[in-house]
Amino acid sequence: MSPPDLLDDFTGRIGMSLQPMLDSWHAGLSDRIILERPAARGHGDLATNIAMVAAGSAKLPPLEIARKIVEVLQDSPQVMHLCEKVEIAGPGFINFFLNDKAIADAALGALAQGRDYGSGTAAQPESILLEFVSANPTGPLHVGHARYAAYGDSLKRILSFAGYKVGTEFYINDYGSQMDIFGISLALRYAELWGREIRFPDEGYQGEYTVHIARMIKDEIGDSLLADTDPDARESAIAFFRKRGCELVLDEVRSVLVRFGVVFDDWFSEAGLYQSDAVPNAMQALTDAGELLVQDGASWLLTTRHGDDKDRVLIRSSGEPTYFASDIAYHQDKLSRGFDRLINIWGADHHGYIARMKAAFAALGHDPERLEIIIGQLVNVIELGERKQMSKRKGTMVSLEELIDSIGVDAARFYLVDRSADSTLDLDLEKAKLKSEENPVYYVQYAHARICSILDRSEETPADSGNSTACESLESQERELVLKLAEFPRTVTGAADSRGPQRLTAYSRELAATFHAFYHSCPVLKASPDMASFRLDLCRLTRNVIAMCLDLVGVEAPESM
RNA sequence: GCGCCCGUAGCUCAAUUGGAUAGAGCAACGGACUUCUAAUCCGUAGGUUGCAGGUUCGAGUCCUGCCGGGCGCACCA
């Protein structure tokens, strides 16, 4: 159990001092009552809206409540010994001006926690299965997948840091008609490599990459399947190309993701579901629950009972199960593995699928709340000022590989995760290349490198960390830095709860800016010995927090630049 | 037509889940390197948060209706 950080500690002290009075007003300490850093400097270091919130149940004007609260706080040593002064402002805010000693102590307390500072804040540390990317294995990943990979992986890191137990999974859609088309496309490319005339079907995968894959297969098997690749090719040959092509694509997908810093705990094959009884079992469970209806020769899941706008086919009249059928079986499997919550990250083009999936959960007797679907908006590629539709089939796309090659992993990940997932992202690769040196990631990394350089030049060793005596008097930039550092635990909580990694990149920029300002006005190594020692501790803490922020979004924290 | 997402500074985006005077970066302008990393800092300028109502002590944030953009609405996956 790590000690509470500055904000939590102070909140606790206020709460304890005010409890009796709040009880008498039947107000309680609801989560609407917040302690936060006010935007304006003149409003103190910390502020609370408690008087305004309590006004409702106390049936008194906010300002009057605020006066009574401040009276009580003035008599509370545990609050006042941290404060310079307390004042009432605006419609009833109570503003706290902390004394320098309290601020300096907070920094040393945070530093003492090392890599645990800000971690383990989850209110209920549930176990979560996070599924993302899950691209069809019919070609390389593109920048759209890159966005989900960066977002999902950052979310995994953040949730884990916050104390959740998180598993990540890539669902391989290696079954169904798209795979058949992929197999046929490869067979045709293969024949083409042997000099045969081919006519490529419109719905085939025409991207250049199919040639490379076909060549790899050709090198493996020679001409042994050539006779089978005519327009009326034998099913077994198609099956071979489908399977081998899928394996080769997955090898590439896996390795480019590793390069991108994204490693999945599990890869789950849809085709594998069909090698077990998972799908029939799920159908049976739905039949037993009376949720299935046979009509027009097909089996329908009555999802309208659970809020969907139309019922959905699970088994076609041909007897073939739909994608939805195997997806239900897949989610049954996920639940059977004991997760409290399933989070799926889907592209915006799948949002229409949410209602039916949740309905299936309800039909199986599960609480749909356990399934959380995050919709990530799409990435548009801009070329010569024009929006281009990305299509794997036509081969018109910017691959993750190209993105990494042109701007690097750090800039790419920071850029992709630096904006909320629910706004569409336009990516102009040429512009991104030109502008990559303006990427804010370097601003943050530079602060880290700067600190490392200072620590490197100082006489102190890592063993001196945290041994400074708290300063009695601080410069304003020192106060700002500590207060900014004090926001880190809440930033992590906010990022985890709102599933918003961009909170961390935004925070890391603010922290870097605060540090750079501190750097310019507060010399570290040239200060008097006591002061130098304290400032070195501030540097260590800042370095740790920046490194944690960057790590939480999968970006390196370099020691020099 | 119905559903989901978005609309904030010239551009790209934030905004502590409803808090006080809406903030950063880029672009523009003016300053600071014989100094612990100038990939930095300090300052100036830039806004009716798409529009109109509503809810309340308080709205960029919540509700309703418009306008504009994106994405969906299969016995495809």
Side-chain angles (χ1 to χ4, degrees):
Chain A
M1 191 60 191
S2 49
D5 62 86
L6 175 65
L7 290 161
D8 283 343
D9 176 50
F10 200 70
T11 306
R13 288 165 186 266
I14 293 171
M16 278 163 67
S17 308
L18 296 180
Q19 195 68 62
M21 181 184 270
L22 288 169
D23 286 347
S24 75
W25 291 332
H26 310 288
L29 284 170
S30 80
D31 52 4
R32 289 188 52 212
I33 297 174
I34 52 174
L35 181 75
E36 63 182 353
R37 289 202 59 206
R41 290 175 300 279
H43 294 149
D45 301 311
L46 298 173
T48 178
N49 61 351
I50 187 167
M52 276 112 74
V53 175
S57 43
K59 301 191 195 329
L60 290 170
L63 283 170
E64 192 174 322
I65 298 219
R67 272 194 292 275
K68 288 180 192 288
I69 286 174
V70 169
E71 262 173 45
V72 172
L73 290 178
Q74 299 280 13
D75 291 332
S76 166
Q78 57 173 341
V79 171
M80 290 315 292
H81 97 267
L82 298 182
C83 290
E84 197 74 32
K85 62 175 173 174
V86 179
E87 60 181 37
I88 299 166
F93 286 100
I94 299 172
N95 296 336
F96 300 92
F97 295 76
L98 301 182
N99 62 45
D100 289 348
K101 177 78 166 60
I103 294 210
D105 283 341
L108 297 182
L111 179 60
Q113 292 183 50
R115 285 262 165 178
D116 289 332
Y117 179 55
S119 72
T121 56
Q124 297 200 327
E126 42 186 16
S127 68
I128 297 174
L129 180 61
L130 187 59
E131 184 213 321
F132 57 102
V133 183
S134 298
N136 288 344
T138 53
L141 300 181
H142 54 64
V143 291
H145 300 124
R147 180 181 205 181
Y148 306 127
Y151 176 82
D153 185 65
S154 298
L155 199 51
K156 177 250 177 95
R157 291 166 187 248
I158 292 165
L159 290 171
S160 302
F161 186 71
Y164 298 92
K165 189 173 166 0
V166 186
T168 56
E169 189 154 292
F170 186 117
Y171 184 53
I172 310 166
N173 297 136
D174 52 357
Y175 187 89
S177 54
Q178 292 306 314
M179 288 310 294
D180 294 337
I181 294 169
F182 182 56
I184 291 166
S185 304
L186 288 181
L188 289 169
R189 289 295 192 203
Y190 169 81
E192 188 181 45
L193 287 172
W194 287 104
R196 299 288 171 93
E197 281 286 322
I198 61 160
R199 219 183 66 245
F200 224 81
D202 288 343
E203 70 275 15
Y205 288 91
Q206 302 171 45
E208 197 50 35
Y209 67 88
T210 55
V211 178
H212 298 304
I213 297 170
R215 186 170 292 128
M216 288 167 82
I217 295 180
K218 178 183 172 233
D219 291 345
E220 289 173 0
I221 64 166
D223 62 358
S224 60
L225 287 177
L226 191 53
D228 293 330
T229 52
D230 290 333
D232 48 325
R234 281 226 313 266
E235 188 52 41
S236 63
I238 303 293
F240 174 82
F241 281 105
R242 192 174 56 208
K243 181 166 178 296
R244 189 63 193 136
C246 175
E247 288 166 0
L248 291 169
V249 166
L250 280 175
D251 284 347
E252 284 189 23
V253 165
R254 230 181 285 256
S255 72
V256 72
L257 283 173
V258 166
R259 197 178 158 207
F260 202 45
V262 179
V263 176
F264 282 90
D265 296 326
D266 275 302
W267 295 69
F268 194 103
S269 157
E270 182 186 7
L273 279 174
Y274 287 98
Q275 284 157 17
S276 72
D277 291 328
V279 179
N281 287 346
M283 294 309 102
Q284 191 57 50
L286 288 166
T287 305
D288 293 346
E291 300 279 353
L292 230 50
L293 175 73
V294 177
Q295 197 174 20
D296 304 329
S299 295
W300 299 72
L301 179 63
L302 303 175
T303 52
T304 44
R305 286 182 183 173
H306 307 284
D308 197 6
D309 23 299
K310 61 174 298 225
D311 294 328
R312 309 288 172 178
V313 171
L314 290 185
I315 311 291
R316 299 183 184 92
S317 45
S318 67
E320 278 290 300
T322 60
Y323 177 78
F324 187 34
S326 57
D327 217 14
I328 291 172
Y330 173 44
H331 283 81
Q332 277 278 64
D333 184 279
K334 284 183 178 178
L335 284 173
S336 74
R337 285 183 259 160
F339 292 99
D340 299 321
R341 177 185 292 270
L342 309 180
I343 300 182
N344 294 354
I345 299 171
W346 289 349
D349 51 344
H350 285 73
H351 77 261
Y353 200 77
I354 299 174
R356 84 188 65 165
M357 201 61 228
K358 291 211 168 222
F361 254 58
L364 284 164
H366 304 303
D367 180 4
E369 292 290 308
R370 291 173 67 192
L371 175 66
E372 178 180 328
I373 293 164
I374 298 173
I375 291 300
Q377 295 300 314
L378 302 178
V379 177
N380 295 310
V381 171
I382 306 291
E383 224 166 71
L384 302 171
E386 272 188 41
R387 201 171 268 174
K388 248 177 66 179
Q389 196 68 40
M390 260 196 301
S391 161
K392 199 187 281 182
R393 214 165 295 168
K394 293 179 192 146
T396 57
M397 54 177 210
V398 177
S399 70
L400 171 54
E401 192 93 50
E402 285 175 81
L403 180 67
I404 297 175
D405 287 343
S406 66
I407 68 174
V409 171
D410 288 348
R413 288 197 62 152
F414 201 92
Y415 175 80
L416 288 170
V417 113
D418 193 32
R419 60 214 64 216
S420 149
D422 42 33
S423 49
T424 339
L425 194 152
D426 288 338
L427 179 71
D428 186 327
L429 197 58
E430 291 310 310
K431 222 185 240 178
K433 223 182 283 184
L434 288 173
K435 293 189 66 166
S436 68
E437 68 272 10
E438 290 167 9
N439 192 304
V441 74
Y442 301 120
Y443 180 80
V444 178
Q445 289 181 322
Y446 183 62
H448 186 268
R450 237 183 185 177
I451 296 170
C452 289
S453 165
I454 295 172
L455 293 173
D456 209 41
R457 286 167 177 269
S458 94
E459 306 280 309
E460 293 196 353
T461 67
D464 295 309
S465 174
N467 284 343
S468 65
T469 332
C471 282
E472 296 296 330
S473 158
L474 299 180
E475 297 295 325
S476 66
Q477 290 84 357
E478 292 174 297
R479 294 177 58 96
E480 285 299 315
L481 184 54
V482 177
L483 286 165
K484 184 53 75 180
L485 288 160
E487 291 176 31
F488 177 62
R490 289 198 173 189
T491 305
V492 173
T493 313
D497 290 349
S498 68
R499 322 296 193 215
Q502 82 278 1
R503 297 267 183 105
L504 274 170
T505 51
Y507 172 77
S508 70
R509 264 203 307 259
E510 291 167 13
L511 177 57
T514 312
F515 176 80
H516 286 310
F518 160 83
Y519 173 90
H520 276 270
S521 49
C522 302
V524 177
L525 299 176
K526 290 168 190 161
S528 68
D530 278 357
M531 197 178 276
S533 194
F534 175 71
R535 287 179 178 173
L536 279 166
D537 277 338
L538 275 187
C539 287
R540 292 186 182 99
L541 176 59
T542 308
R543 179 200 54 193
N544 291 354
V545 174
I546 289 179
M548 286 190 280
C549 284
L550 291 176
D551 183 59
L552 288 174
V553 294
V555 170
E556 294 292 321
E559 299 199 356
S560 66
M561 285 175 78

